Amino acid sequence: MRRGFPRLLSLLLVTALLTGCWDHIEIEALEFAFGLGVDQVEPDYVVVVEMVKTSGGGQQAEVEPLVLATKGKSVSAAGRSLSNPAGLRAFWPHAYVFLMSEQVAREGIVPAVENIVRSRYIRSTVWVFITKDCTAEEVFKSKPPAANSVSEHLNAIALMQETISGFIPLQVWQLSQAFAAEGIAAILPTVKLVHEQGDLVPIVEGTAVFKGDRMVGWLDGHESDILCLLKGIIQRCYFVIDTKVGENEFFPITYELVGNRVEIKPQDKDGKLSVSIALDLHFSVEEMGRAPYSFRDEAFARSVQAQLATAFTHWIREFLSKTQQEYNADILGFGQLVRRKEPQVWRRLGENWDVHFRDLPVDLEVKCKVTMAGLSSEPLRVRE
Amino acid sequence: MFFWQKTKKNAPQPRGLDDLNPSLEINLHWLKADILASDETIVYRRFKTSGAKARDCVLVYADNMVKHEFLSQFVLRPMMQSSPPKHLRGEELIRYLSANVIESDGSELVARYGEIGDKIMNGVAVLLVDGCPLGIAVDAKGWPKRAVTEPPSESVVRGPRTGFSEDLGVNISLVRLKLSSPNFKTRFLYVGTQTKTKVAILYLDNVTSLDLVEEVARRIDAIEIDAVLDSGYIQEMIRDAPYSPFPTIGHTERPDVAAAKILEGRVAVLVDGSPFALTVPYLLVEAFQVNEDYYNQWMVGSFHRLIRYISYFITTSTPAIYIALISYHPQLIPTNLVVSISASRKNVPFPGIVEVILMGLVFEILREGGVRLPRPIGQAISIVGAIVLGEAAVSASLVSAPMIIVVGVTGVAGFVNPALNDIAVLIRLLFVFLAAGLGLYGYVFGTIAIVLLLSSMESFGVPYLSTMTTIRPQDIKDTVVRVPWWQMRLRPRYLATKDRQRLQRRTGSKGP
Amino acid sequence: MREHVPDDQGMILVLLFVVGNTLVFGLGGVAGPDIWLAFLTATVMALPMILLMARVRSLMQGAALYSGLEQVFGKWPSRGLALVYALYAWRLSCFVVSDVSNFVQAIALPNTPKVVVASILALLMLWAAKEGVEVLARFAVVMSKVVFAVLLVTFILLLSVANPAEFLPVMYDGAKPVFLGAFQLLDFPFLEVVVLFWVFDCFSSKRSPFKVFVPGFLSAALILLVMTSTSLAVVGADRYSVFYFPIWTAVSRINVSTMRLEAIVGVTFAIGSFLKMAVCLLAASRCVTYAFGFSDYRFVVTPLALAVIPGSQWLITTLMEVEKSAIKTYPTSATIYQVVLPVVFWVVAEIRVAKARHQGKGG
């Protein structure tokens, strides 16, 4: 106790004398890398980096993006070699997005993504995207209307997935989890460039489907919404459906998905495996156009719900045949489910899951319910 | 455990121990020539008694230390009008005068020169009568006193407004007013070879452990110092862990606080001439407790206490954590913030650590400069500090804007706990250096060291962190939060050894 | 000078000792999704040993550790035992120091030499060990509040990203991985509690050792079970054993707006580990002094602590080796320290005490 003070002092001394401040960095010397892209793996890696350059000081700070591309023997080597031409020290832990071009995805993404998974510098919460019909470099060089940089733009979109819909955002750790798990195929959201008031603007829409680490095909925005439904991810997407009203009139009515409950169960009957999907969807009516009917009319409501159920059953069937037969990629994780719920069956079938998955019978039961119709139950009437 | 300076005992005064002489003239001679020599404030008032055999008397006192009216009315007048029986002489005469003539409530007989000197210095008048080898000391103390006012250092919104003053007797009575029970005990000790300052130990007989009282008395007795001008002297002389910057003895200017501490089983020490009462043992939690916590509604009180803990964390740690984050772990700062910090530091020439130390130093200088200045000038200083140094330094890119916030928050949060604010500066500095060397881990090592230091400390046999090192529900009711009074049924276990019951029954409230 | 630790503080000391640096590694990955079963099995297997240790301490009731030991075993065997355990405890403290310095290097300070962190830790634990077990226990209680608060918050936030389906299927590969995981956990950290046997000087009553060891151990096991299982549900059963620091990795997945929690968690790990290494050092120094017949242990603390610096660097040099040493399945040396010797202890103690009581009655 009497030695408390000298001990504190010696602690200070040891720290002061021993530490040469090896890890000391000055924050103003860093430039923050926000995005990383890989456009090519063979024969050389082509790596694109988006950094933000800060300047100013005092009270006003300015931030502008800077895109650099280079070639290298590996992602990390290329990334580091960028510091030389840029004359900047890139700081990686604040990276938002990681992009890979379709070419890389087709050839297999493990060589591109391995560094991101392992790295101490890049956080495992980085969003991963596949660029469709364009390269990562083009995406980074496009001009988002609101955000300072493309990476921030994509990050904002990913965070707004619930309302934007049409894709499923994925962080790198989820990707690695999907790779490591048995009986589930990986998916990644896709980035496209569209023309918006003369500028090229990146949007996120659709899904890239993988088998192993190779991309086997695309899902468009609508199919991605269906995928979302089946995965039980909450997404308030709009569906505009030509609804039959009355005798033989069709009106486009906009429905918003407000609730979805999904239950997928593997069933093993007499050695025959099947999967049953029970979907319970709740909708709210957003827009009825000229449709002259009221949701107070129960018969009408029932007919609408039946039509919705038919439409969704149809879409889901199409979706399932696409994944099962066309891509043969178990993106819904039926295999994983079988392994978890029916381990005995998985022992038997796990070896050739591809084959079994292709022809796996799926029982589908879709229940739809309109729970809300905005604030008015009647359509907008115009007096003649 | 604790230490004190050893000084050689002063040689006894030449006349001090001698008995008075029967002759008044000889006594006066020695008083004037030796005991009270070269002191022109001493008044020697000669007079005679009436009656056939008038006797020569002298009333000796120090000017302005006595109540003059009192002396004229109750000593001089009755003495002059009295005519003691002729046959009385010597000691008998003195006893007669003391018993029958002097109309004062406090009078005693004195026999030695030294005693007379001490008494007179303490505002007592001494009556000497020719032919008697004894004098009568008449208590007529009356020196200028400060009124009982609200203490400036511990003002409250809700609570009693009385504060201690410099007078020991008044101070004791202020505490006694709060604890009017026969169990309330006081014990006097005298410290200081020159000053002989009166020190009072206050405690509750049926609550406090007597070992503690004895230990306090022993430590105070062991002090050998020439003068005690404030309780601060005693505080430093009897404390545990003298090398630790943390206080192990509490002080307060408020009788209600002193009474509350005594009620919990502590001992209070009052020193004549000091408006600060000392309380022992002192635990770390007490630095975060304020009397208003107990006067306010318990939820409000608890919240304020929580604020105090948080502020102390802020004031000790903010600069260190800031340094650690910007120099070692920029990855832990939210992205938007890191970009703006980076931008704001672009043209600043100094590394973060230099900035922190510079700005911290400036802040401490401003504070120290403002403390003892009259209020209007103090305000001018703070304006200069805030606007000129803050605003201008940022515009001139001498320091970065976030640093101003860090220093400002640190400084303001420090004022929340005045008792620990001075130590906060030291801890802050330790943390800043460690964080500058090893980042957050340096800061953690510093925290470990401080907690170790605190864990190893004791105050009068009670572990310094007592209430924080227990998981018993009863003992943590008055720590980070204050539970309602009806819940605090027992006194703290580590202090009160005898009567732990605080509430007799479930009284006073419709507790849950 | 006898040092007396109140029961509640002792319990927290045991708890933090077991939780200590285990959280850094998040063990039991071999068991995959059955990690919780591995924890339960290990707890059930370790409990008898813990009870046995408490029983031995309880048999030496009242007497301070060493005089109690000599009463039970006699002078020379006790000293021999102490020497054996001195080695064990010292080695353990080296391991913990090396774990922490490797962790800090991997997570936060990649360019700082490990010796620096190790030296500062050694200095701090030297101080802590010199202050004695009373101060350490107080320190443990104060710090435990921080540790618990952080763990609670982390746990709640981890729940929001955890996927309970990761625990399925139960025992897909049979019972073998469960037992492998359980044995791993027995060696490190559950049965390392033997070190604590040498740390407590005396207990307040005959029942105290039980009150200290059993609840302390059980709550530590519960905390570890909850934290590791939740992390597994976050990281995924298939990826859990891949990571060096799975719990830390799981925490880095938490998104609380843009706040990064892993730093706080890393700091908590460091605090827990610090307590463990200080306790080990204390145990080692006490054993050494006793073995060579000195009365006060404080003078050997400094050399032993300084020896930990090179010790921690030589025994294990890289993170990869740390993992190897931590994740290996029950080595024989551990069996001797953690099972065989304590059982021998206990049997001898029971016989001796029974005999003494018998003689006492006879005489």
Side-chain angles (χ1 to χ4, degrees):
Chain A
M1 180 168 37
R2 194 179 318 164
R3 305 219 186 106
F5 179 66
R7 276 175 191 167
L8 283 181
L9 208 69
S10 62
L11 178 67
L12 255 181
L13 273 179
V14 168
T15 325
L17 295 179
L18 277 183
T19 56
C21 307
W22 290 274
D23 287 293
H24 189 273
I25 35 177
E26 286 299 335
I27 196 170
E28 64 269 21
L30 305 174
E31 300 302 338
F32 300 94
F34 274 6
L36 177 67
V38 179
D39 272 335
Q40 183 190 315
V41 170
E42 294 290 335
D44 271 339
Y45 283 82
V46 174
V47 172
V48 201
V49 176
E50 185 185 42
M51 288 196 247
V52 289
K53 217 167 61 178
T54 53
S55 55
Q59 266 129 355
Q60 60 279 356
E62 275 168 33
V63 179
E64 53 181 306
L66 178 73
V67 179
L68 297 166
T70 187
K71 280 187 181 183
K73 289 278 175 216
S74 72
V75 175
S76 50
R80 190 157 277 190
S81 72
L82 271 174
S83 293
N84 195 345
L88 299 168
R89 184 167 170 188
F91 188 68
W92 288 100
H94 284 284
Y96 284 118
V97 295
F98 177 59
L99 304 184
M100 284 173 286
S101 67
E102 185 182 343
Q103 187 199 341
V104 174
R106 295 263 182 209
E107 288 168 5
I109 59 173
V110 163
V113 89
E114 215 278 338
N115 171 247
I116 314 296
V117 175
R118 175 183 301 277
S119 172
R120 282 184 307 190
Y121 303 108
I122 297 181
R123 282 171 62 89
S124 56
T125 47
V126 166
W127 302 108
V128 187
F129 298 96
I130 301 292
T131 58
K132 189 178 181 189
D133 306 329
C134 54
T135 62
E137 190 175 354
E138 285 161 6
V139 171
F140 280 133
K141 286 192 170 157
S142 63
K143 200 161 166 43
N148 268 326
S149 62
V150 172
S151 307
E152 283 168 287
H153 175 71
L154 292 177
N155 177 50
I157 294 176
L159 290 174
M160 284 190 291
Q161 169 258 346
E162 198 179 317
T163 46
I164 292 179
S165 79
F167 65 98
I168 300 174
L170 218 75
Q171 296 182 332
V172 70
W173 65 275
Q174 292 165 309
L175 179 69
S176 63
Q177 218 169 14
F179 278 161
E182 267 183 273
I184 185 164
I187 47 169
L188 281 176
T190 54
V191 177
K192 294 194 275 201
L193 287 176
V194 294
H195 281 281
E196 196 81 45
Q197 292 170 345
D199 277 332
L200 274 175
V201 174
I203 61 163
V204 184
E205 191 188 53
T207 304
V209 177
F210 286 80
K211 194 163 176 190
D213 75 325
R214 281 167 209 275
M215 193 184 105
V216 289
W218 305 103
L219 297 176
D220 62 13
H222 176 69
E223 285 161 338
S224 304
D225 286 341
I226 300 295
L227 176 61
C228 249
L229 282 186
L230 292 172
K231 277 187 170 264
I233 298 170
I234 302 159
Q235 202 171 62
R236 298 174 79 100
C237 29
Y238 284 179
F239 294 94
V240 185
I241 297 171
D242 274 342
T243 314
K244 187 176 141 201
V245 175
E247 283 309 299
N248 221 350
E249 285 181 288
F250 286 88
F251 288 98
I253 297 182
T254 310
Y255 303 92
E256 184 188 14
L257 181 70
V258 291
N260 63 328
R261 252 213 351 251
V262 60
E263 208 175 337
I264 307 181
K265 269 193 206 150
Q267 283 165 333
D268 184 32
K269 267 189 206 146
D270 321 321
K272 188 95 180 85
L273 182 71
S274 69
V275 167
S276 79
I277 301 178
L279 258 182
D280 198 355
L281 304 176
H282 288 196
F283 293 93
S284 123
V285 175
E286 277 301 301
E287 212 176 319
M288 292 182 69
R290 288 186 183 275
Y293 274 83
S294 152
F295 272 88
R296 283 192 178 140
D297 181 351
E298 273 192 30
F300 170 69
R302 239 178 289 133
S303 115
V304 165
Q305 288 172 1
Q307 289 179 53
L308 281 171
T310 322
F312 275 95
T313 313
H314 172 68
W315 285 332
I316 292 169
R317 282 287 173 207
E318 270 186 350
F319 171 83
L320 285 174
S321 76
K322 194 166 190 177
T323 55
Q324 282 182 299
Q325 275 94 43
E326 191 179 329
Y327 295 150
N328 192 16
D330 188 1
I331 52 179
L332 282 172
F334 288 157
Q336 193 179 39
L337 215 64
V338 172
R339 184 172 183 274
R340 282 175 179 169
K341 297 274 169 68
E342 307 278 347
Q344 297 311 319
V345 181
W346 182 255
R347 265 185 240 280
R348 204 172 68 225
L349 305 180
E351 292 282 304
N352 317 314
W353 181 243
D354 278 0
V355 183
H356 297 285
F357 174 68
R358 186 186 293 274
D359 304 315
L360 188 69
V362 179
D363 303 330
L364 190 58
E365 192 197 346
V366 183
K367 272 189 216 156
C368 293
K369 199 173 177 196
V370 176
T371 54
M372 263 195 293
L375 294 180
S376 67
S377 58
E378 303 284 323
L380 180 64
R381 287 189 204 286
V382 184
R383 299 258 173 231
E384 299 278 318
Chain B
M1 303 290 274
F2 64 99
F3 78 118
W4 56 88
Q5 279 161 292
K6 291 208 189 281
T7 51
K8 275 197 180 147
K9 262 196 172 153
N10 285 353
Q13 293 192 343
R15 274 289 137 197
L17 293 173
D18 284 5
D19 283 341
L20 287 172
N21 196 287
S23 158
L24 181 61
E25 292 310 320
I26 294 180
N27 285 343
L28 279 182
H29 168 77
W30 281 122
L31 283 179
K32 283 180 182 170
D34 184 12
I35 308 286
L36 301 169
S38 312
D39 189 341
E40 295 181 8
T41 62
I42 307 294
V43 178
Y44 300 88
R45 169 75 165 87
R46 283 173 179 274
F47 62 94
K48 286 185 184 207
T49 57
S50 50
K53 191 176 179 190
R55 307 187 194 224
D56 280 318
C57 307
V58 172
L59 186 65
V60 190
Y61 58 87
D63 204 9
N64 287 325
M65 295 286 284
V66 294
K67 284 178 269 186
H68 295 276
E69 283 159 44
F70 177 89
L71 282 181
S72 336
Q73 209 172 341
F74 301 110
V75 181
L76 285 176
R77 188 194 300 167
M79 281 293 290
M80 287 175 180
Q81 287 169 356
S82 72
S83 44
K86 284 180 191 166
H87 59 88
L88 290 181
R89 58 187 64 244
E91 197 176 331
E92 284 172 332
L93 175 63
I94 284 291
R95 289 197 188 283
Y96 169 84
L97 288 174
S98 173
N100 299 357
V101 179
I102 290 179
E103 298 174 19
S104 160
D105 58 339
S107 75
E108 53 179 310
L109 302 184
V110 285
R112 294 201 175 100
Y113 289 116
E115 271 180 84
I116 292 179
D118 289 345
K119 295 272 183 202
I120 287 172
M121 285 300 117
N122 280 310
V124 175
V126 175
L127 180 69
L128 296 172
V129 182
D130 193 23
C132 305
L134 288 171
I136 306 176
V138 183
D139 187 355
K141 283 174 192 152
W143 49 77
K145 279 179 196 167
R146 190 160 63 92
V148 174
T149 52
E150 181 167 22
S153 68
E154 286 171 80
S155 56
V156 289
V157 177
R158 163 87 197 264
R161 308 262 176 225
T162 46
F164 287 129
S165 66
E166 282 76 10
D167 189 86
L168 180 64
V170 174
N171 290 351
I172 293 177
S173 63
L174 285 176
V175 179
R176 193 189 290 278
L177 279 173
K178 306 269 175 200
L179 304 170
S180 37
S181 137
N183 290 320
F184 175 71
K185 308 286 180 197
T186 52
R187 192 204 270 191
F188 288 123
L189 298 165
Y190 296 87
V191 186
T193 48
Q194 286 289 341
T195 56
K196 304 235 168 38
T197 310
K198 200 169 179 181
V199 175
I201 299 178
L202 280 56
Y203 60 96
L204 271 182
D205 202 9
N206 59 338
V207 177
T208 315
S209 104
L210 281 183
D211 293 342
L212 175 62
V213 179
E214 286 308 320
E215 176 67 16
V216 174
R218 194 184 64 71
R219 291 193 193 181
I220 293 178
D221 259 340
I223 299 175
E224 288 182 17
I225 189 172
D226 58 341
V228 174
L229 298 183
D230 186 79
S231 52
Y233 286 45
I234 296 198
Q235 186 171 358
E236 202 157 307
M237 296 290 248
I238 66 172
R239 68 167 289 176
D240 292 274
Y243 284 104
S244 162
F246 289 92
T248 48
I249 290 180
H251 59 82
T252 176
E253 252 188 296
R254 305 186 61 92
D256 54 322
V257 175
K261 305 242 167 179
I262 293 173
L263 272 169
E264 284 198 332
R266 292 188 176 85
V267 170
V269 176
L270 284 167
V271 177
D272 200 10
S274 169
F276 285 92
L278 308 179
T279 54
V280 291
Y282 184 77
L283 310 180
L284 187 65
V285 272
E286 288 177 63
F288 297 97
Q289 295 169 343
V290 166
N291 54 351
E292 258 182 285
D293 295 349
Y294 302 94
Y295 306 149
N296 276 325
Q297 205 264 346
W298 62 273
M299 282 192 235
V300 179
S302 301
F303 175 70
H304 287 236
R305 195 173 278 181
L306 214 61
I307 291 286
R308 259 171 252 135
Y309 282 95
I310 294 171
S311 306
Y312 203 63
F313 168 73
I314 290 176
T315 194
T316 48
S317 306
T318 322
I321 293 179
Y322 178 73
I323 288 289
L325 287 181
I326 66 161
S327 313
Y328 284 89
H329 318 284
Q331 67 268 33
L332 301 176
I333 312 175
T335 310
N336 297 336
L337 188 59
V338 82
V339 172
S340 79
I341 292 180
S342 165
S344 74
R345 284 188 51 84
K346 267 281 135 83
N347 298 324
V348 178
F350 306 116
I353 169 90
V354 176
E355 249 187 313
V356 161
I357 290 172
L358 271 183
M359 288 309 287
L361 194 67
V362 168
F363 182 86
E364 291 304 321
I365 290 172
L366 281 175
R367 190 171 75 99
E368 191 58 30
V371 165
R372 279 169 202 88
L373 283 179
R375 196 159 288 174
I377 309 181
Q379 272 173 359
I381 288 228
S382 40
I383 290 168
V384 169
I387 295 177
V388 178
L389 287 177
E391 208 39 49
V394 172
S395 320
S397 283
L398 272 176
V399 288
S400 60
M403 182 56 68
I404 299 285
I405 302 172
V406 167
V407 172
V409 166
T410 308
V412 172
F415 293 127
V416 175
N417 293 300
L420 293 177
N421 195 13
D422 301 338
I423 309 145
V425 179
L426 301 181
I427 299 178
R428 195 185 302 147
L429 218 58
L430 174 83
F431 285 174
V432 162
F433 276 118
L434 289 172
L438 283 174
L440 268 185
Y441 289 88
Y443 168 71
V444 173
F445 296 149
T447 316
I448 289 179
I450 293 288
V451 176
L452 261 179
L453 175 68
L454 289 172
S455 316
S456 69
M457 281 167 62
E458 283 185 357
S459 172
F460 286 82
V462 180
Y464 196 49
L465 292 179
S466 282
T467 50
M468 302 183 180
T469 53
T470 177
I471 50 173
R472 290 196 204 99
Q474 176 61 38
D475 293 347
I476 52 178
K477 281 184 176 171
D478 190 17
T479 51
V480 181
V481 293
R482 176 181 81 79
V483 299
W485 274 113
W486 72 80
Q487 291 269 324
M488 293 197 270
R489 307 189 51 212
L490 298 177
R491 297 196 171 95
R493 175 193 312 267
Y494 47 91
L495 291 172
T497 48
K498 291 179 183 164
D499 182 8
R500 292 198 56 219
Q501 203 73 20
R502 179 140 50 184
L503 296 186
Q504 290 309 322
R505 291 164 272 128
R506 286 188 87 83
T507 46
S509 171
K510 281 139 202 77
Chain C
M1 194 168 77
R2 270 183 173 199
E3 294 188 73
H4 174 210
V5 177
D7 289 355
D8 54 343
Q9 292 182 11
M11 190 200 104
I12 297 284
L13 188 67
V14 174
L15 196 165
L16 270 196
F17 178 86
V18 177
V19 173
N21 62 339
T22 320
L23 280 179
V24 180
F25 293 107
L27 297 169
V30 211
D34 301 322
I35 194 163
W36 56 283
L37 273 175
F39 263 96
L40 290 182
T41 320
T43 312
V44 170
M45 292 200 293
L47 198 57
M49 293 304 301
I50 305 283
L51 283 171
L52 188 146
M53 259 178 264
R55 168 75 182 159
V56 176
R57 283 312 301 254
S58 155
L59 284 175
M60 322 190 300
Q61 180 246 339
L65 176 60
Y66 299 120
S67 53
L69 265 181
E70 290 192 6
Q71 274 172 29
V72 175
F73 299 112
K75 193 171 175 187
W76 292 110
S78 327
R79 289 192 171 181
L81 265 181
L83 197 60
V84 169
Y85 276 99
L87 262 174
Y88 178 67
W90 182 80
R91 207 186 58 123
L92 193 55
S93 102
C94 288
F95 274 117
V96 184
V97 168
S98 125
D99 290 354
V100 175
S101 46
N102 274 300
F103 175 70
V104 170
Q105 192 184 44
I107 296 306
L109 309 171
N111 304 316
T112 306
K114 277 176 290 186
V115 190
V116 175
V117 175
S119 318
I120 291 174
L121 284 172
L123 184 74
L124 280 173
M125 72 186 195
L126 184 161
W127 176 2
K130 277 211 173 184
E131 295 291 355
V133 64
E134 266 180 54
V135 170
L136 263 179
R138 279 182 222 149
F139 174 85
V141 180
V142 175
M143 282 310 194
S144 70
K145 293 179 183 176
V146 180
V147 173
F148 293 157
V150 171
L151 289 184
L152 186 68
V153 172
T154 339
F155 169 65
I156 292 170
L157 291 172
L158 277 177
L159 278 187
S160 65
V161 274
N163 175 14
E166 294 289 346
F167 293 119
L168 293 172
V170 179
M171 299 229 277
Y172 185 77
D173 298 318
K176 199 184 164 206
V178 174
F179 278 100
L180 280 179
F183 276 116
Q184 216 177 66
L185 288 166
L186 274 185
D187 166 32
F188 167 59
F190 283 178
L191 287 184
E192 282 172 359
V193 180
V194 284
V195 170
L196 279 165
F197 182 90
W198 300 89
V199 165
F200 291 109
D201 211 17
C202 60
F203 288 95
S204 33
S205 74
K206 214 173 162 95
R207 292 178 39 138
S208 279
F210 292 98
K211 283 193 203 154
V212 166
F213 279 108
V214 178
F217 168 74
L218 286 181
S219 32
L222 182 72
I223 289 176
L224 288 176
L225 166 71
V226 168
M227 287 309 290
T228 33
S229 314
T230 325
S231 307
L232 180 118
V234 172
V235 178
D238 307 296
R239 296 277 295 161
Y240 183 83
S241 54
V242 173
F243 296 110
Y244 287 124
F245 313 116
I247 297 181
W248 189 88
T249 309
V251 173
S252 69
R253 305 273 157 85
I254 301 174
N255 277 325
V256 193
S257 76
T258 46
M259 297 283 284
R260 311 269 152 108
L261 272 174
E262 61 261 35
I264 305 174
V265 175
V267 159
T268 318
F269 292 172
I271 293 173
S273 310
F274 170 74
L275 189 86
K276 185 164 178 176
M277 59 183 92
V279 167
C280 289
L281 179 67
L282 179 61
S285 358
R286 290 181 61 120
C287 288
V288 166
T289 28
Y290 173 66
F292 292 106
F294 300 108
S295 59
D296 189 33
Y297 71 87
R298 283 180 173 76
F299 79 105
V300 287
V301 172
T302 313
L304 281 181
L306 294 181
V308 164
I309 303 174
S312 66
Q313 305 303 309
W314 285 335
L315 281 175
I316 308 166
T317 46
T318 64
L319 188 59
M320 293 168 184
E321 285 174 44
V322 175
E323 203 202 16
K324 230 183 284 164
S325 74
I327 312 267
K328 69 181 172 262
T329 322
Y330 219 66
T332 29
S333 62
T335 329
I336 296 170
Y337 290 122
Q338 298 177 344
V339 181
V340 177
L341 284 178
V343 169
V344 173
F345 256 46
W346 171 61
V347 173
V348 175
E350 287 285 355
I351 295 171
R352 287 268 186 146
V353 169
K355 208 185 265 174
R357 195 174 296 150
H358 189 71
Q359 281 170 353
K361 265 179 200 160

